[in-house]
Amino acid sequence: MRHHRDDVVRHAIVVLDTYGLADLTMRRLASELDVRPSALYHHFRDKQSLLAAVADELLRRGARPLAAQAWDEQVVELCSGLRDALLAYRDGAELVSTVIAFGLGASQPYDDLVTALAPARLGEELASTAARTLLHFVLGHTLDEQTHLQAGSAGAIGDDPRPRSDFGAGLGLVVDGIRLRSSRGVDARA
Amino acid sequence: MRHHRDDVVRHAIVVLDTYGLADLTMRRLASELDVRPSALYHHFRDKQSLLAAVADELLRRGARPLAAQAWDEQVVELCSGLRDALLAYRDGAELVSTVIAFGLGASQPYDDLVTALAPARLGEELASTAARTLLHFVLGHTLDEQTHLQAGSAGAIGDDPRPRSDFGAGLGLVVDGIRLRSSRGVDARA
DNA sequence: ACCTGAACACCGTTCAAGT
DNA sequence: ACCTGAACACCGTTCAAGT
Protein backbone atom coordinates (compact mmCIF):
# COMPACT_ATOMS: atom_id res chain seq x y z
CA MET A 1 0.00 0.00 0.00
CA ARG A 2 1.37 3.42 -0.98
CA HIS A 3 1.04 6.45 1.24
CA HIS A 4 1.21 10.21 1.04
CA ARG A 5 2.92 12.41 3.55
CA ASP A 6 -0.44 13.29 5.10
CA ASP A 7 -1.33 9.63 5.61
CA VAL A 8 1.85 9.22 7.59
CA VAL A 9 1.07 12.24 9.79
CA ARG A 10 -2.50 11.10 10.40
CA HIS A 11 -1.35 7.63 11.35
CA ALA A 12 1.37 9.04 13.60
CA ILE A 13 -1.31 10.88 15.58
CA VAL A 14 -3.19 7.62 16.06
CA VAL A 15 -0.03 5.90 17.30
CA LEU A 16 0.70 8.86 19.59
CA ASP A 17 -2.77 8.85 21.09
CA THR A 18 -2.87 5.07 21.47
CA TYR A 19 0.63 4.20 22.69
CA GLY A 20 2.18 7.53 23.76
CA LEU A 21 5.14 9.59 22.57
CA ALA A 22 7.76 7.12 23.84
CA ASP A 23 6.27 4.43 21.59
CA LEU A 24 5.91 6.69 18.57
CA THR A 25 9.04 5.29 16.94
CA MET A 26 9.89 5.24 13.26
CA ARG A 27 9.90 1.44 13.33
CA ARG A 28 6.59 1.18 15.10
CA LEU A 29 4.91 3.74 12.86
CA ALA A 30 6.27 1.96 9.80
CA SER A 31 4.96 -1.39 10.95
CA GLU A 32 1.52 0.13 11.62
CA LEU A 33 1.58 1.47 8.05
CA ASP A 34 2.70 -1.95 6.78
CA VAL A 35 5.86 -0.53 5.37
CA ARG A 36 9.60 -0.85 6.04
CA PRO A 37 11.10 1.88 8.36
CA SER A 38 13.26 3.24 5.57
CA ALA A 39 10.14 4.11 3.56
CA LEU A 40 9.36 6.88 6.05
CA TYR A 41 12.53 8.68 5.03
CA HIS A 42 11.03 9.27 1.63
CA HIS A 43 8.46 11.55 3.32
CA PHE A 44 10.52 13.07 6.15
CA ARG A 45 14.21 13.76 6.34
CA ASP A 46 14.34 12.61 9.98
CA LYS A 47 12.23 11.89 13.05
CA GLN A 48 12.32 15.49 14.29
CA SER A 49 10.68 16.69 11.06
CA LEU A 50 7.99 14.04 11.41
CA LEU A 51 7.30 15.14 14.99
CA ALA A 52 7.14 18.78 13.89
CA ALA A 53 4.51 17.89 11.27
CA VAL A 54 2.55 15.89 13.84
CA ALA A 55 2.65 18.80 16.30
CA ASP A 56 1.46 21.22 13.63
CA GLU A 57 -1.42 18.94 12.68
CA LEU A 58 -2.40 18.51 16.33
CA LEU A 59 -2.47 22.30 16.75
CA ARG A 60 -4.37 22.77 13.48
CA ARG A 61 -7.07 20.36 14.67
CA GLY A 62 -7.41 22.27 17.94
CA ALA A 63 -7.62 25.72 16.35
CA ARG A 64 -10.75 27.74 17.09
CA PRO A 65 -11.88 31.20 15.97
CA LEU A 66 -11.56 34.01 18.48
CA ALA A 67 -14.80 35.24 20.03
CA ALA A 68 -13.52 37.95 22.37
CA GLN A 69 -12.92 41.59 21.42
CA ALA A 70 -10.57 42.84 24.15
CA TRP A 71 -6.91 41.85 23.81
CA ASP A 72 -6.68 40.42 27.32
CA GLU A 73 -9.74 38.23 26.75
CA GLN A 74 -8.31 37.10 23.42
CA VAL A 75 -5.09 36.13 25.16
CA VAL A 76 -6.98 34.05 27.70
CA GLU A 77 -8.96 32.41 24.88
CA LEU A 78 -5.81 31.58 22.92
CA CYS A 79 -4.07 30.10 25.97
CA SER A 80 -7.10 28.06 27.02
CA GLY A 81 -7.56 26.85 23.46
CA LEU A 82 -3.92 25.81 23.28
CA ARG A 83 -4.27 23.90 26.55
CA ASP A 84 -7.37 22.13 25.26
CA ALA A 85 -5.59 21.22 22.02
CA LEU A 86 -2.67 19.73 23.98
CA LEU A 87 -4.95 17.77 26.31
CA ALA A 88 -6.94 16.36 23.37
CA TYR A 89 -4.22 13.82 22.50
CA ARG A 90 -2.07 11.66 24.72
CA ASP A 91 1.32 13.30 25.43
CA GLY A 92 0.25 16.32 23.37
CA ALA A 93 1.95 18.79 25.72
CA GLU A 94 5.20 16.81 25.73
CA LEU A 95 5.18 16.54 21.94
CA VAL A 96 4.59 20.25 21.31
CA SER A 97 7.10 21.27 24.02
CA THR A 98 9.75 19.10 22.40
CA VAL A 99 9.05 20.44 18.91
CA ILE A 100 9.13 24.05 20.12
CA ALA A 101 12.35 23.47 22.06
CA PHE A 102 13.98 22.12 18.89
CA GLY A 103 12.65 25.15 17.02
CA LEU A 104 11.34 23.21 14.02
CA GLY A 105 7.66 24.12 14.10
CA ALA A 106 4.63 24.81 16.27
CA SER A 107 5.15 28.55 15.86
CA GLN A 108 1.48 29.33 15.27
CA PRO A 109 0.62 29.79 18.97
CA TYR A 110 3.43 32.30 19.41
CA ASP A 111 2.39 34.25 16.31
CA ASP A 112 -1.26 34.27 17.41
CA LEU A 113 -0.31 35.62 20.83
CA VAL A 114 1.84 38.38 19.38
CA THR A 115 -1.05 39.40 17.11
CA ALA A 116 -3.54 39.40 19.99
CA LEU A 117 -1.17 41.46 22.14
CA ALA A 118 -0.76 44.22 19.55
CA PRO A 119 -3.59 46.43 20.90
CA ALA A 120 -1.90 46.44 24.30
CA ARG A 121 0.83 48.57 22.71
CA LEU A 122 3.70 47.01 24.64
CA GLY A 123 6.35 47.63 22.04
CA GLU A 124 7.84 44.91 19.86
CA GLU A 125 10.33 43.60 22.40
CA LEU A 126 7.99 43.46 25.39
CA ALA A 127 5.22 41.91 23.27
CA SER A 128 7.61 39.12 22.29
CA THR A 129 8.63 38.61 25.92
CA ALA A 130 4.99 38.54 27.02
CA ALA A 131 4.01 36.04 24.31
CA ARG A 132 6.86 33.70 25.20
CA THR A 133 6.13 34.00 28.92
CA LEU A 134 2.51 33.02 28.27
CA LEU A 135 3.66 30.11 26.12
CA HIS A 136 6.08 28.85 28.77
CA PHE A 137 3.28 28.96 31.31
CA VAL A 138 0.76 27.09 29.16
CA LEU A 139 3.23 24.42 28.04
CA GLY A 140 4.71 23.91 31.50
CA HIS A 141 1.39 23.85 33.27
CA THR A 142 -0.25 21.54 30.76
CA LEU A 143 2.74 19.20 30.71
CA ASP A 144 2.48 18.88 34.52
CA GLU A 145 -1.25 18.42 34.34
CA GLN A 146 -1.17 15.83 31.57
CA THR A 147 1.63 13.85 33.23
CA HIS A 148 -0.24 13.61 36.52
CA LEU A 149 -3.57 12.97 34.79
CA GLN A 150 -2.06 10.04 32.93
CA ALA A 151 -0.16 8.80 35.97
CA GLY A 152 -3.45 8.61 37.84
CA SER A 153 -5.35 6.94 35.02
CA ALA A 154 -4.74 3.52 36.61
CA GLY A 155 -6.45 4.66 39.81
CA ALA A 156 -9.86 3.81 41.22
CA ILE A 157 -12.93 4.48 39.10
CA GLY A 158 -14.22 6.85 41.75
CA ASP A 159 -11.27 9.20 41.23
CA ASP A 160 -12.12 12.58 39.77
CA PRO A 161 -10.76 12.20 36.23
CA ARG A 162 -10.18 15.95 35.88
CA PRO A 163 -9.61 17.59 39.26
CA ARG A 164 -10.23 21.33 39.34
CA SER A 165 -7.21 22.84 37.66
CA ASP A 166 -5.47 26.03 38.71
CA PHE A 167 -4.75 26.82 35.06
CA GLY A 168 -6.98 29.87 35.08
CA ALA A 169 -5.44 31.16 38.30
CA GLY A 170 -1.88 30.90 36.98
CA LEU A 171 -2.86 32.43 33.66
CA GLY A 172 -4.55 35.32 35.45
CA LEU A 173 -1.31 36.03 37.29
CA VAL A 174 0.64 36.42 34.05
CA VAL A 175 -2.08 38.37 32.22
CA ASP A 176 -2.28 40.83 35.11
CA GLY A 177 1.46 41.36 34.88
CA ILE A 178 1.11 42.12 31.17
CA ARG A 179 -1.89 44.40 31.73
CA LEU A 180 0.17 46.51 34.13
CA ARG A 181 2.54 47.27 31.25
CA SER A 182 -0.11 48.09 28.67
CA SER A 183 0.00 51.76 27.71
CA ARG A 184 -3.74 51.47 27.10
CA GLY A 185 -4.20 51.08 30.86
CA VAL A 186 -5.91 48.49 33.04
CA ASP A 187 -9.15 48.73 31.11
CA ALA A 188 -7.74 48.58 27.58
CA ARG A 189 -10.02 47.34 24.82
CA ALA A 190 -8.99 46.31 21.32
CA MET B 1 38.04 0.09 39.85
CA ARG B 2 35.12 0.13 42.29
CA HIS B 3 32.85 3.12 42.64
CA HIS B 4 30.37 4.62 45.04
CA ARG B 5 27.04 6.05 44.04
CA ASP B 6 28.47 9.57 44.35
CA ASP B 7 31.33 8.77 41.97
CA VAL B 8 28.77 7.75 39.38
CA VAL B 9 26.80 10.99 39.79
CA ARG B 10 29.92 13.14 39.62
CA HIS B 11 31.07 11.37 36.49
CA ALA B 12 27.62 11.66 34.92
CA ILE B 13 27.81 15.44 35.30
CA VAL B 14 31.14 15.46 33.47
CA VAL B 15 29.63 13.39 30.64
CA LEU B 16 26.57 15.68 30.55
CA ASP B 17 28.67 18.83 30.35
CA THR B 18 31.08 17.39 27.79
CA TYR B 19 28.79 15.47 25.42
CA GLY B 20 25.25 16.68 26.22
CA LEU B 21 22.14 14.97 27.57
CA ALA B 22 21.51 12.92 24.41
CA ASP B 23 24.90 11.27 24.84
CA LEU B 24 24.52 10.70 28.57
CA THR B 25 23.62 7.05 28.08
CA MET B 26 24.05 4.22 30.55
CA ARG B 27 26.46 2.51 28.17
CA ARG B 28 28.54 5.62 27.59
CA LEU B 29 28.68 6.50 31.28
CA ALA B 30 29.68 2.92 32.10
CA SER B 31 32.47 2.94 29.56
CA GLU B 32 33.78 6.26 30.91
CA LEU B 33 33.82 4.66 34.37
CA ASP B 34 35.59 1.59 32.94
CA VAL B 35 32.78 -0.66 33.98
CA ARG B 36 30.12 -2.80 32.26
CA PRO B 37 26.69 -1.10 31.82
CA SER B 38 25.00 -3.59 34.12
CA ALA B 39 27.21 -2.39 36.99
CA LEU B 40 25.32 0.91 37.06
CA TYR B 41 22.17 -0.95 38.07
CA HIS B 42 23.81 -1.79 41.36
CA HIS B 43 23.70 1.95 42.21
CA PHE B 44 20.47 3.06 40.45
CA ARG B 45 17.34 1.11 39.75
CA ASP B 46 16.99 2.72 36.30
CA LYS B 47 18.14 5.63 34.14
CA GLN B 48 15.44 8.00 35.41
CA SER B 49 16.70 7.62 38.99
CA LEU B 50 20.24 8.34 37.83
CA LEU B 51 19.07 11.49 36.03
CA ALA B 52 17.14 12.58 39.13
CA ALA B 53 20.29 12.27 41.23
CA VAL B 54 22.29 14.19 38.62
CA ALA B 55 19.68 16.97 38.56
CA ASP B 56 19.70 17.21 42.35
CA GLU B 57 23.49 17.44 42.44
CA LEU B 58 23.48 20.10 39.72
CA LEU B 59 20.99 22.15 41.75
CA ARG B 60 22.93 21.58 44.98
CA ARG B 61 26.08 22.96 43.35
CA GLY B 62 24.20 26.04 42.17
CA ALA B 63 22.57 26.80 45.52
CA ARG B 64 23.32 30.20 47.05
CA PRO B 65 22.22 31.83 50.31
CA LEU B 66 19.50 34.46 50.06
CA ALA B 67 20.60 38.06 50.54
CA ALA B 68 17.30 39.92 50.12
CA GLN B 69 14.79 40.62 52.87
CA ALA B 70 11.57 41.36 50.97
CA TRP B 71 9.68 38.34 49.64
CA ASP B 72 9.50 39.69 46.08
CA GLU B 73 13.24 40.29 46.00
CA GLN B 74 13.83 36.82 47.41
CA VAL B 75 11.68 35.34 44.65
CA VAL B 76 13.69 37.17 42.00
CA GLU B 77 16.92 35.96 43.63
CA LEU B 78 15.72 32.35 43.72
CA CYS B 79 14.61 32.41 40.09
CA SER B 80 17.81 34.07 38.87
CA GLY B 81 19.87 31.63 40.92
CA LEU B 82 17.99 28.70 39.44
CA ARG B 83 18.57 30.04 35.93
CA ASP B 84 22.29 30.43 36.64
CA ALA B 85 22.46 26.89 38.00
CA LEU B 86 20.80 25.52 34.84
CA LEU B 87 23.08 27.52 32.53
CA ALA B 88 26.20 26.36 34.39
CA TYR B 89 26.12 22.90 32.75
CA ARG B 90 25.38 21.87 29.19
CA ASP B 91 21.70 20.90 28.76
CA GLY B 92 21.08 21.71 32.44
CA ALA B 93 17.63 23.17 31.74
CA GLU B 94 16.56 20.18 29.63
CA LEU B 95 17.78 17.75 32.29
CA VAL B 96 16.00 19.45 35.18
CA SER B 97 12.82 19.96 33.14
CA THR B 98 12.76 16.27 32.30
CA VAL B 99 13.32 15.20 35.89
CA ILE B 100 10.62 17.54 37.18
CA ALA B 101 8.16 16.37 34.52
CA PHE B 102 8.72 12.77 35.61
CA GLY B 103 8.24 13.88 39.20
CA LEU B 104 11.24 12.01 40.62
CA GLY B 105 13.26 14.85 42.09
CA ALA B 106 14.43 18.44 41.72
CA SER B 107 11.75 19.57 44.16
CA GLN B 108 14.03 21.94 46.07
CA PRO B 109 13.35 24.98 43.84
CA TYR B 110 9.60 24.58 44.31
CA ASP B 111 9.94 24.26 48.08
CA ASP B 112 12.23 27.28 48.26
CA LEU B 113 9.76 29.38 46.28
CA VAL B 114 6.83 28.39 48.48
CA THR B 115 8.87 29.33 51.55
CA ALA B 116 9.86 32.70 50.09
CA LEU B 117 6.26 33.43 49.11
CA ALA B 118 4.90 32.86 52.62
CA PRO B 119 5.13 36.53 53.73
CA ALA B 120 2.98 37.52 50.72
CA ARG B 121 0.10 35.76 52.48
CA LEU B 122 -1.48 34.38 49.32
CA GLY B 123 -3.07 31.37 50.94
CA GLU B 124 -1.80 27.84 50.48
CA GLU B 125 -3.42 27.18 47.14
CA LEU B 126 -2.47 30.45 45.44
CA ALA B 127 1.08 30.22 46.83
CA SER B 128 1.42 26.81 45.21
CA THR B 129 0.05 28.13 41.92
CA ALA B 130 2.40 31.11 42.03
CA ALA B 131 5.44 28.94 42.77
CA ARG B 132 4.65 26.57 39.92
CA THR B 133 4.00 29.46 37.53
CA LEU B 134 7.39 30.94 38.39
CA LEU B 135 9.02 27.54 37.92
CA HIS B 136 7.37 27.03 34.52
CA PHE B 137 8.62 30.42 33.45
CA VAL B 138 12.21 29.87 34.58
CA LEU B 139 12.46 26.37 33.12
CA GLY B 140 10.80 27.30 29.83
CA HIS B 141 12.75 30.49 29.36
CA THR B 142 16.08 28.95 30.27
CA LEU B 143 15.45 25.92 28.06
CA ASP B 144 14.82 28.26 25.10
CA GLU B 145 17.83 30.35 25.95
CA GLN B 146 20.19 27.43 26.42
CA THR B 147 19.03 25.71 23.22
CA HIS B 148 19.62 28.83 21.14
CA LEU B 149 22.88 29.62 22.91
CA GLN B 150 24.19 26.16 22.10
CA ALA B 151 22.82 26.23 18.55
CA GLY B 152 24.76 29.45 17.96
CA SER B 153 27.97 28.20 19.53
CA ALA B 154 29.29 27.21 16.08
CA GLY B 155 28.86 30.79 14.81
CA ALA B 156 31.44 33.49 14.13
CA ILE B 157 33.79 34.52 16.93
CA GLY B 158 32.43 38.07 16.75
CA ASP B 159 28.97 36.88 17.81
CA ASP B 160 27.83 38.07 21.19
CA PRO B 161 28.14 34.86 23.22
CA ARG B 162 25.42 35.96 25.66
CA PRO B 163 23.00 38.39 24.00
CA ARG B 164 21.04 40.54 26.41
CA SER B 165 18.36 38.25 27.79
CA ASP B 166 14.78 39.24 28.51
CA PHE B 167 14.75 36.90 31.50
CA GLY B 168 14.38 39.76 33.96
CA ALA B 169 11.58 41.34 31.94
CA GLY B 170 9.55 38.12 31.79
CA LEU B 171 10.17 37.41 35.47
CA GLY B 172 9.05 40.94 36.36
CA LEU B 173 5.77 40.30 34.56
CA VAL B 174 4.99 37.25 36.67
CA VAL B 175 6.19 38.77 39.96
CA ASP B 176 3.96 41.80 39.38
CA GLY B 177 1.00 39.50 38.86
CA ILE B 178 1.77 37.81 42.16
CA ARG B 179 2.30 41.13 43.96
CA LEU B 180 -1.19 42.24 42.93
CA ARG B 181 -2.59 39.29 44.89
CA SER B 182 -0.51 39.80 48.01
CA SER B 183 -2.66 40.84 50.95
CA ARG B 184 0.38 42.73 52.21
CA GLY B 185 -0.07 45.17 49.30
CA VAL B 186 2.28 46.41 46.58
CA ASP B 187 4.96 47.43 49.01
CA ALA B 188 4.95 44.33 51.19
CA ARG B 189 8.14 43.50 53.12
CA ALA B 190 8.97 40.24 54.86
C1' DA C 1 6.99 8.81 -6.52
C1' DC C 2 7.26 5.42 -3.28
C1' DC C 3 9.17 1.43 -1.48
C1' DT C 4 12.45 -2.92 -0.11
C1' DG C 5 16.62 -5.26 1.75
C1' DA C 6 20.35 -5.13 4.24
C1' DA C 7 23.29 -3.16 6.98
C1' DC C 8 25.59 0.15 10.71
C1' DA C 9 26.02 1.83 15.06
C1' DC C 10 23.76 2.20 18.69
C1' DC C 11 20.01 1.91 23.08
C1' DG C 12 17.95 0.32 28.39
C1' DT C 13 17.46 -3.53 31.19
C1' DT C 14 17.72 -8.26 33.45
C1' DC C 15 19.93 -11.85 35.79
C1' DA C 16 22.81 -15.61 37.08
C1' DA C 17 27.30 -15.79 38.52
C1' DG C 18 31.75 -14.14 40.29
C1' DT C 19 35.00 -11.68 44.21
C1' DA D 1 29.20 -4.40 48.20
C1' DC D 2 30.31 -4.12 43.63
C1' DC D 3 31.00 -6.08 39.32
C1' DT D 4 31.10 -9.34 34.77
C1' DG D 5 29.13 -11.97 30.84
C1' DA D 6 25.69 -12.80 28.08
C1' DA D 7 21.57 -12.10 26.44
C1' DC D 8 16.80 -9.79 25.08
C1' DA D 9 14.23 -6.62 22.76
C1' DC D 10 14.64 -2.78 20.89
C1' DC D 11 16.31 2.21 18.49
C1' DG D 12 17.34 6.05 14.13
C1' DT D 13 19.45 6.32 9.79
C1' DT D 14 21.69 5.36 5.18
C1' DC D 15 21.79 3.73 0.64
C1' DA D 16 21.76 0.97 -3.41
C1' DA D 17 18.29 -1.12 -5.80
C1' DG D 18 13.58 -2.14 -7.31
C1' DT D 19 8.63 -0.72 -9.59
Side-chain angles (χ1 to χ4, degrees):
Chain A
M1 205 223 264
R2 306 199 125 198
H3 305 90
H4 289 86
R5 189 186 152 100
D6 285 356
D7 298 322
V8 179
V9 172
R10 270 196 298 272
H11 225 100
I13 292 199
V14 174
V15 173
L16 173 74
D17 204 37
T18 311
Y19 304 104
L21 185 58
D23 284 332
L24 175 48
T25 67
M26 299 301 268
R27 286 168 182 273
R28 174 132 201 170
L29 176 56
S31 96
E32 297 273 339
L33 286 165
D34 234 328
V35 118
R36 263 10 80 198
S38 53
L40 297 177
Y41 290 84
H42 179 76
H43 301 284
F44 300 94
R45 61 129 67 124
D46 56 20
K47 189 182 181 180
Q48 275 306 319
S49 306
L50 203 208
L51 293 183
V54 173
D56 282 333
E57 172 63 13
L58 187 151
L59 292 172
R60 206 193 56 74
R61 292 189 187 180
R64 291 177 306 199
L66 283 177
Q69 300 291 314
W71 69 263
D72 51 353
E73 288 167 5
Q74 286 193 350
V75 163
V76 169
E77 252 187 73
L78 284 170
C79 289
S80 303
L82 174 56
R83 169 172 175 262
D84 291 344
L86 301 177
L87 289 177
Y89 294 92
R90 209 223 282 205
D91 292 339
E94 194 184 347
L95 170 70
V96 172
S97 296
T98 301
V99 169
I100 286 185
F102 272 74
L104 295 175
S107 47
Q108 191 72 52
Y110 171 79
D111 294 339
D112 291 347
L113 283 170
V114 169
T115 301
L117 286 168
R121 305 216 161 279
L122 301 166
E124 199 178 330
E125 209 160 340
L126 190 52
S128 170
T129 296
R132 284 167 44 227
T133 299
L134 288 162
L135 222 43
H136 292 145
F137 167 73
V138 176
L139 291 170
H141 184 99
T142 310
L143 182 58
D144 267 11
E145 201 175 355
Q146 198 165 42
T147 302
H148 296 140
L149 238 50
Q150 288 170 178
S153 68
I157 298 176
D159 284 8
D160 190 346
R162 187 102 152 230
R164 201 167 76 276
S165 169
D166 66 344
F167 179 80
L171 180 55
L173 232 51
V174 183
V175 172
D176 278 353
I178 297 171
R179 206 183 275 113
L180 276 180
R181 281 156 181 80
S182 168
S183 52
R184 308 275 317 259
V186 167
D187 213 41
R189 302 274 140 179
Chain B
M1 208 225 264
R2 307 196 124 199
H3 305 90
H4 289 85
R5 190 187 152 99
D6 285 354
D7 298 321
V8 179
V9 172
R10 269 196 299 271
H11 227 100
I13 292 199
V14 174
V15 173
L16 173 74
D17 204 38
T18 311
Y19 304 103
L21 185 58
D23 285 332
L24 176 48
T25 66
M26 299 301 267
R27 286 169 181 273
R28 174 129 200 171
L29 176 57
S31 95
E32 297 272 339
L33 286 164
D34 234 328
V35 121
R36 262 13 79 196
S38 52
L40 297 177
Y41 291 82
H42 179 76
H43 302 285
F44 301 93
R45 62 124 71 116
D46 56 21
K47 189 181 180 181
Q48 276 306 320
S49 307
L50 203 208
L51 292 183
V54 173
D56 282 333
E57 172 63 12
L58 187 152
L59 292 172
R60 207 192 54 74
R61 292 189 189 181
R64 291 177 307 199
L66 283 177
Q69 300 292 314
W71 69 263
D72 51 353
E73 289 167 4
Q74 286 193 350
V75 163
V76 169
E77 252 186 74
L78 284 171
C79 290
S80 304
L82 173 55
R83 169 172 174 262
D84 291 345
L86 301 177
L87 290 177
Y89 294 92
R90 208 221 283 207
D91 292 338
E94 193 184 347
L95 169 70
V96 173
S97 296
T98 301
V99 169
I100 287 186
F102 272 74
L104 295 175
S107 48
Q108 191 72 54
Y110 171 80
D111 294 339
D112 290 347
L113 282 169
V114 170
T115 301
L117 285 167
R121 306 217 161 278
L122 301 165
E124 200 177 330
E125 209 160 339
L126 190 52
S128 170
T129 296
R132 284 168 42 228
T133 300
L134 287 162
L135 223 43
H136 292 144
F137 167 73
V138 176
L139 291 170
H141 184 98
T142 310
L143 182 57
D144 267 11
E145 201 176 355
Q146 198 165 43
T147 302
H148 296 139
L149 238 51
Q150 287 170 178
S153 68
I157 298 178
D159 284 10
D160 190 347
R162 187 100 155 233
R164 203 167 72 278
S165 168
D166 66 343
F167 178 80
L171 180 56
L173 233 51
V174 183
V175 172
D176 277 353
I178 297 170
R179 207 183 276 112
L180 277 179
R181 280 153 181 83
S182 168
S183 52
R184 307 278 314 263
V186 168
D187 213 42
R189 302 272 140 180

